[in-house]
Amino acid sequence: MAFPEDMLTDDEHVVLHLHPHWKVLVRPVLVSLLAVAAVVAGFLLLPDGTGATVALYAIAVVALSLVLWLALWPLVVWRSTHYVFTNERVVLQHGVFSRERRDIPLNRVNDHSMNQQFSERLLGCGTLTIESAGERGQTVLADIPGVGRVQTKLYELVEAHHDRHSLGDGEMREILQEVRQDRAGESPAPS
C-alpha cells in the first residue's frame, strides 16, 4: 500500500507524505486487546469438557471476526490513505480494493485553513481545509498529524510554486526593455 513514486512528473518531488494521525488506530488496538483477553479468559475460566471446548471455539471465532473487522480493516484503510504534498500539487489517495485519487495543483490553491479541537491540540493533529479553484471547491483533510506544520508547509509550497511560475518586477522590466529595443531597431516595412 505504498505511495507509487512513479506517478510523479520528472521535476516533481515529495515534500511531505502523511497518513492520518495515529489516533485512528486507538480503537483497533483496544479491540485486539479485548479479543485476546476474551479468548484467554475463556481458556482459563471455562471448565473442562466438550461444551466448554465448543464455547471456547465460539469465543475465538467471534474474537477473530471482531479483530478482522474492527482492528485489521481500519489498519489497512489507514495504511492505504495518503496525503502527499509535492512541489507541484497536493495528492489525496485512499482505497484498499478500489482506489480514489485527487490531485490539487498548487496554482489552484486559493486558501487553506486549519481547525483543532481541544483534544486534537493535545494529540497534535487537526483538520486541514484546502479551497481550490474548480468545480469541487473545498477539500477537507481530517486527522492530519502536525496540522499547523503542514499548513505552514503548504503555504510555503504555494508561494514557491507561484514564484517559480511568475515573473518578478525585474524580469518584467527586462522583457519590456527588450521589446522596446526590438521595436526601435525595426525599420518600417516597404510598401
Side-chain angles (χ1 to χ4, degrees):
M1 319 259 187
F3 183 75
E5 296 289 330
D6 62 341
M7 63 145 297
L8 301 175
T9 62
D10 290 337
D11 11 331
E12 186 177 19
H13 63 276
V14 174
V15 177
L16 286 174
H17 180 190
L18 307 168
H19 295 283
H21 191 265
W22 58 263
K23 78 175 188 174
V24 301
L25 299 177
V26 169
R27 187 179 89 180
V29 168
L30 291 176
V31 166
S32 298
L33 291 174
L34 288 173
V36 169
V39 171
V40 169
F43 182 76
L44 293 176
L45 299 176
L46 289 173
D48 291 336
T50 309
T53 305
V54 171
L56 184 59
Y57 282 136
I59 291 171
V61 167
V62 169
L64 180 62
S65 300
L66 289 175
V67 165
L68 290 175
W69 178 42
L70 297 175
L72 186 61
W73 181 252
L75 176 66
V76 171
V77 169
W78 173 81
R79 188 76 178 117
S80 65
T81 301
H82 302 272
Y83 304 130
V84 180
F85 297 80
T86 75
N87 61 323
E88 295 290 329
R89 58 189 162 157
V90 177
V91 181
L92 315 169
Q93 180 175 294
H94 66 275
V96 177
F97 297 118
S98 61
R99 181 171 293 151
E100 183 178 329
R101 183 169 67 210
R102 175 159 186 222
D103 294 357
I104 304 171
L106 292 178
N107 64 348
R108 296 274 199 133
V109 174
N110 293 336
D111 187 35
H112 45 85
S113 61
M114 64 155 246
N115 182 20
Q116 285 182 305
Q117 296 177 0
F118 179 70
S119 61
E120 291 175 325
R121 288 189 70 192
L122 293 175
L123 293 173
C125 64
T127 301
L128 180 66
T129 303
I130 301 173
E131 189 171 318
S132 62
E135 61 187 49
R136 289 196 183 178
Q138 281 190 347
T139 302
V140 178
L141 309 177
D143 299 324
I144 298 291
V147 69
R149 178 182 54 87
V150 172
Q151 184 191 19
T152 301
K153 183 53 79 176
L154 178 58
Y155 175 79
E156 292 170 355
L157 289 170
V158 169
E159 288 301 310
H161 186 270
H162 180 267
D163 290 347
R164 276 194 318 272
H165 294 29
S166 64
L167 296 176
D169 289 339
E171 294 168 315
M172 186 57 83
R173 282 191 209 108
E174 289 176 18
I175 292 171
L176 288 173
Q177 177 109 12
E178 288 175 15
V179 169
R180 288 183 190 131
Q181 287 174 353
D182 287 346
R183 286 187 179 168
E186 290 179 6
S187 59
S191 338

